[in-house]
Amino acid sequence: MILNTILDTDLYKFTTSYAYVKLFPYAMGTFEFKDRDDTRYSEEFLQRLNEEIQNMAKVRLTEEELEYMCSHCRFLPRVYWEWLSSFSFDPNKVTAYLDEEQHLHIEATDYLYKVTLYEVPLLAVVTELRNQFLGHVADEQQVLERLRGKVDISNEHRLSFSEFGTRRRFSFEVQDKVIGYLKQHARYCTGTSNCHFAKKYNMLMMGTHPHEWFMFHGAQFGYKHANYMALENWVNVYDGDLGTALCDTYTSESFLTNFSRKQAKLFDGVRCDSGNEFEFIDQLVARYRELGIDATTKTIIFSNALDFEKSLKILNYCKGKIRCAFGIGTNLTNDTGYKPSNVVMKLSRCKMNTNQKWRECIKLSDDLGKHTGSDKEVQACLYELGLV
C-alpha cells in the first residue's frame, strides 16, 4: 500500500473539510485529475492504480493519531477528529480510466467535506506509481547531497520555508528522508504541510485554505463576490486563525481590488501561488499602503514552483517592504534527476445540495495557460471581472 495513514496529506485538506461541515454540510462536488504533460499511461498502470484506490479504503484514523491531532491542532475541534476516525475512503466514489490516447482520467464525487480529502492522496499515489512504472529509482545519497546545498542557502541567508511537497513527491520514502534531513539540519524550516510527517518529526503543521474554497464560492455566489465571501466565511469558521489569504484563484488583480481594510488588517498576509512574484510584492505593498496598513507587519507566503535560488532573490527584494516566507514542494521532494510529474486535481463542479443543478467550477491564474475550466465559463468569468 502506498497510502498507509489518513494523516499522509496536507493540513489544509482537513481545515477545508471542517469549513464545509460548518457552513455547507450538504454541498457536493467533483474533483477531476489533469496531467499537464499529457503523459500516456498503460493498462497495467491503471490496474495498479485501481488496486491502490481499493487499498485506500483500509486506512483509518487511529486513536493515537486522533489524540495527537486534538492536542496539536487547536483550531479544529475534537468532534471533527472523532468524525474522521469513522471516515474511510470509498472506492465507489472514484472513477479512473484511460481514454483512446491513453491519457489518464480520474474523478471523485461526494459531499464536499468528504471528497476534498481524496485530492492529495490520489495525486501522491499517481506520482509514486508513475515513477515505479517508468523504472525511476531515486539515489538517496544524490537526493540528500542536493538537499544539503538548499539547506545551506536557507541557513546562511535566514530564508524561512516550509515543506509543501506531498502531492508531487517522488515517493513516500523520499519525502520521509527529506523531512528527516530538514528536521536535523535546516534551522529556518518552519514546518511541513504533511500531518503524518509533522507528527513523526515533531514539526509544526502548516497550511490554511486551497483554491477550491474560492472556486466553490465563485460557482455558487458569483465571481465578483467570490474572494470577499470566501475570506468572510473562513473568518466565520476560524475566527482569525489560519490567517493567510490565497490571492490568485481569480487573478491577484481581482483579489486586491476586493481586499477590504477589515480583511487586510485581520489576515496575517497572503499566499502568492502564480504570476510574477516581484510585481505582486509591489502591488500588495501598494494596496496595504492605500488601506493605511504598514506592510512590514504582514507576510507573503510564496509557493509557486519555487527553488531556493529564486526564493533568495525574492527574499532580498522583500527586505524593507514586507515579510516573506516560502512553501517549497517539488524542489524538495522530487528533485531526483528525473523530470517530476506535473499533475493536479481541481474542483470541477459543485452544488449546494442534491436537489440543485451542478455548477461548473473554474480557476483563473496569474500564469498564462493555467486557467482551468471550459473556455466558455472562463470567458464568462473574465468578462464578469472586467479582465477582457
Side-chain angles (χ1 to χ4, degrees), residues 65 84 131 175 258 275 292 299 333 381:
E65 290 171 335
L84 192 68
N131 285 319
Q175 187 178 19
N258 293 322
T299 303
T333 62
C381 177

Side-chain angles (χ1 to χ4, degrees), residues 236-250:
N236 290 339
V237 175
Y238 290 109
D239 197 30
D241 278 327
L242 303 169
T244 301
L246 185 56
C247 68
D248 69 331
T249 308
Y250 298 113

Side-chain angles (χ1 to χ4, degrees), residues 190-206:
T190 54
T192 172
S193 63
N194 186 292
C195 298
H196 167 72
F197 288 120
K199 177 178 181 293
K200 178 175 180 177
Y201 291 104
N202 191 28
M203 298 171 73
L204 288 177
M205 292 176 282
M206 311 297 290

Side-chain angles (χ1 to χ4, degrees), residues 13-33:
K13 291 282 86 180
F14 297 131
T15 58
T16 306
S17 170
Y18 179 65
Y20 288 132
V21 170
K22 286 282 287 184
L23 299 182
F24 309 107
Y26 302 106
M28 302 188 71
T30 297
F31 278 78
E32 290 189 18
F33 171 88

Side-chain angles (χ1 to χ4, degrees), residues 16 43 84 116 183 209 245 257 276 280 369:
T16 306
E43 290 292 341
L84 192 68
T116 188
K183 173 66 176 180
H209 48 231
T257 299
N276 184 304
F280 179 73

Side-chain angles (χ1 to χ4, degrees), residues 75-242:
F75 36 80
L76 286 173
R78 185 181 184 90
V79 66
Y80 176 77
W81 300 113
E82 290 184 349
W83 166 78
L84 192 68
S85 68
S86 68
F87 169 81
S88 62
F89 293 106
D90 183 353
N92 294 320
K93 303 296 184 182
V94 183
T95 302
Y97 65 94
L98 300 179
D99 63 23
E100 293 179 353
E101 297 179 338
Q102 294 181 289
H103 295 150
L104 179 62
H105 297 263
I106 307 173
E107 292 185 1
T109 300
D110 205 342
Y111 290 99
L112 276 168
Y113 70 91
K114 295 181 181 181
V115 76
T116 188
L117 300 175
Y118 287 69
E119 176 200 357
V120 173
L122 282 172
L123 288 173
V125 166
V126 168
T127 53
E128 184 160 346
L129 276 181
R130 173 182 176 272
N131 285 319
Q132 291 178 13
F133 271 81
L134 290 175
H136 294 171
V137 178
D139 184 323
E140 181 180 320
Q141 290 304 117
Q142 184 184 71
V143 170
L144 294 181
E145 181 63 26
R146 291 179 177 180
L147 183 59
R148 184 168 66 87
K150 300 167 189 178
V151 169
D152 287 345
I153 291 174
S154 171
N155 289 342
E156 179 182 353
H157 298 279
R158 299 183 178 183
L159 188 154
S160 296
F161 71 95
S162 299
E163 183 277 322
F164 274 21
T166 300
R167 66 188 58 217
R168 299 189 192 103
R169 66 193 180 196
F170 183 89
S171 67
F172 177 90
E173 288 74 17
V174 167
Q175 187 178 19
D176 192 2
K177 294 292 184 183
V178 165
I179 296 177
Y181 186 94
L182 295 177
K183 173 66 176 180
Q184 186 173 0
H185 299 284
R187 296 196 296 272
Y188 296 94
C189 179
T190 54
T192 172
S193 63
N194 186 292
C195 298
H196 167 72
F197 288 120
K199 177 178 181 293
K200 178 175 180 177
Y201 291 104
N202 191 28
M203 298 171 73
L204 288 177
M205 292 176 282
M206 311 297 290
T208 50
H209 48 231
H211 292 106
E212 72 177 86
W213 183 247
F214 296 82
M215 294 166 71
F216 169 78
H217 283 76
Q220 294 297 327
F221 304 112
Y223 302 116
K224 284 184 178 179
H225 307 290
N227 285 318
Y228 182 83
M229 290 193 66
L231 294 184
E232 288 294 294
N233 279 331
W234 197 255
V235 171
N236 290 339
V237 175
Y238 290 109
D239 197 30
D241 278 327
L242 303 169

